[in-house]
Amino acid sequence: MPTSPRFSPNRRSIEVLAYPAVQLLDVTGPLQVFASANALAAKAGNAEPYEVRVVAKDGPNVESSAGVGLAVHLLPAIDTAVDTLVIPGGDGVNAAAADAVLVDWVRERAGQARRTASVCTGAFLLAASGVLDGRRAATHWGFCAELAERFPDVRVEPDPIFVRDGSFWTSAGVTSGIDLALALVEEDLGRTAALAVARYLVVFFKRPGGQAQFSEILSLQATDDRFSALHDWISNHLAGDLSLSTLAKQAGMSERSFSRHYAEATGLTPARAIERLRVEGARHLLSETRLPIKRISQRCGFGSEETMRRSFLRLLSTTPQDYRARFAG
């Protein structure tokens, strides 16, 4: 096995780093996106746009956290050509971030690459190398607070599926690596090619619901799914009558019983949960449509732009206008 891959000058070289206990899908998700772009190009009679290698400090194999072994190439020399460096996350990321040799390689390789990306907790390894200092970054929602605490010079954003800051791209948890890779393909080959890859893989080209890492419905159902049908119903009736009596009737309970059981199940009052679901609905419309903000506030049941603005500031620390400016497609 060669110690460093040799890339064709006419293809974009992609290096995906692996290390012991790396998250398998953090590696294979982006890999499959690039491989599918190659397959579709070849089928159309065009040159394959990517040459991808999984690289690691030690070889010839690295065991992922799922117990599946990955065949790897040894870390290439710093001065060899590379287009894109991808850093996955996983259970082994803290050990990787404590490996001075690997951290130095990541820092220098990121300086050589045209662009650098991380998936999930791979942001911790990038942050340990110092290349994210002063930059916006995303990671898995469950690790945002830890990333911000350990690396205060990194501007952690807990909401987006992925963040681009200059030549650095960072993404949220696990499957968001696919979203990020599709965005990289779109940048390289255009929207039509990226959409074709998404269709081939049967995934969203751009996820519905804006760039939120997880929906409020999933959050509300994190510990109890007794009200899952009710949450679906609320999401489809945001502009309708969502009074306590209506919700209790929909749930088949008395108002008093509903209020008590709902708070026990979700940790929120029905009114606070509705506010979150309305904000989520508005986020989707802001990022995926060109509807006027006034129309969105009415469609999502806020009644007025000012009411929606106050809810956005309370829950997201931003205004609807600023949210649209940042996340609209």
Side-chain angles (χ1 to χ4, degrees):
M1 178 177 295
T3 58
S4 62
R6 297 179 180 178
F7 295 111
S8 165
N10 297 320
R11 300 168 73 187
R12 292 176 173 86
S13 58
I14 311 287
E15 292 174 1
V16 182
L17 180 67
Y19 47 81
V22 70
Q23 170 71 254
L24 182 62
L25 194 54
D26 285 8
V27 176
T28 58
L31 276 177
Q32 188 58 59
V33 170
F34 297 125
S36 296
N38 281 345
L40 291 174
K43 185 176 180 180
N46 300 319
E48 295 183 353
Y50 298 109
E51 191 156 5
V52 187
R53 295 287 188 275
V54 180
V55 301
K57 180 182 174 183
D58 301 303
N61 298 292
V62 168
E63 185 171 320
S64 69
S65 59
V68 176
L70 297 166
V72 299
H73 292 257
L74 297 181
L75 295 179
I78 297 301
D79 58 355
T80 56
V82 60
D83 180 85
T84 303
L85 175 65
V86 179
I87 309 295
D91 294 342
V93 72
N94 285 327
D99 185 328
V101 173
L102 189 58
V103 170
D104 287 345
W105 182 86
V106 168
R107 181 187 306 111
E108 295 184 35
R109 200 61 174 149
Q112 178 75 6
R114 177 174 67 90
R115 64 189 175 193
T116 299
S118 67
V119 181
C120 195
T121 54
F124 282 81
L125 182 49
L126 277 186
S129 75
V131 300
L132 293 183
D133 287 355
R135 296 185 181 277
R136 299 164 49 230
T139 189
H140 188 289
W141 62 267
F143 295 90
C144 287
E146 182 182 348
L147 183 64
E149 181 179 358
R150 287 176 55 183
F151 303 99
D153 291 333
V154 179
R155 295 156 53 196
V156 180
E157 297 198 2
D159 186 60
I161 285 290
F162 63 83
V163 168
R164 180 183 183 180
D165 191 325
S167 63
F168 290 87
W169 304 61
T170 52
S171 65
V174 194
T175 58
S176 64
I178 296 174
D179 298 80
L180 182 145
L182 285 169
L184 298 180
V185 171
E186 182 181 18
E187 181 186 51
D188 295 339
L189 309 178
R191 178 184 177 86
T192 300
L195 182 58
V197 173
R199 286 174 173 167
Y200 181 75
L201 295 178
V202 198
V203 297
F204 287 113
F205 175 44
K206 292 185 178 179
R207 297 194 198 194
Q211 300 295 322
Q213 288 195 34
F214 61 99
S215 72
E216 289 297 343
I217 289 180
L218 290 178
S219 178
L220 291 170
Q221 294 173 192
T223 58
D224 197 317
D225 65 356
R226 278 181 289 171
F227 297 103
S228 59
L230 177 65
H231 292 144
D232 289 338
W233 182 85
I234 292 172
S235 294
N236 290 319
H237 296 82
L238 291 176
D241 175 14
L242 297 180
S243 63
L244 181 61
S245 59
T246 298
L247 297 179
K249 181 179 180 180
Q250 188 69 26
M253 299 180 182
S254 69
E255 291 183 27
R256 183 176 179 181
S257 179
F258 170 72
S259 295
R260 177 170 59 84
H261 287 295
Y262 190 85
E264 290 174 353
T266 67
L268 296 171
T269 65
R272 286 302 184 195
I274 288 169
E275 180 184 34
R276 292 188 176 206
L277 292 172
R278 281 178 167 151
V279 167
E280 178 175 328
R283 286 159 66 175
H284 168 61
L285 293 175
L286 286 167
S287 61
E288 299 296 328
T289 77
R290 300 192 179 200
L291 287 173
I293 290 178
K294 181 178 181 179
R295 179 85 175 273
I296 291 174
S297 69
Q298 294 169 345
R299 182 176 290 191
C300 293
F302 287 103
S304 70
E305 292 181 61
E306 180 57 27
T307 300
M308 185 169 80
R309 181 177 179 276
R310 289 198 298 267
S311 290
F312 265 66
L313 286 171
R314 179 164 46 249
L315 297 178
L316 303 178
S317 299
T318 190
T319 66
Q321 292 87 346
D322 289 343
Y323 187 90
R324 169 168 272 176
R326 175 170 292 184
F327 295 122

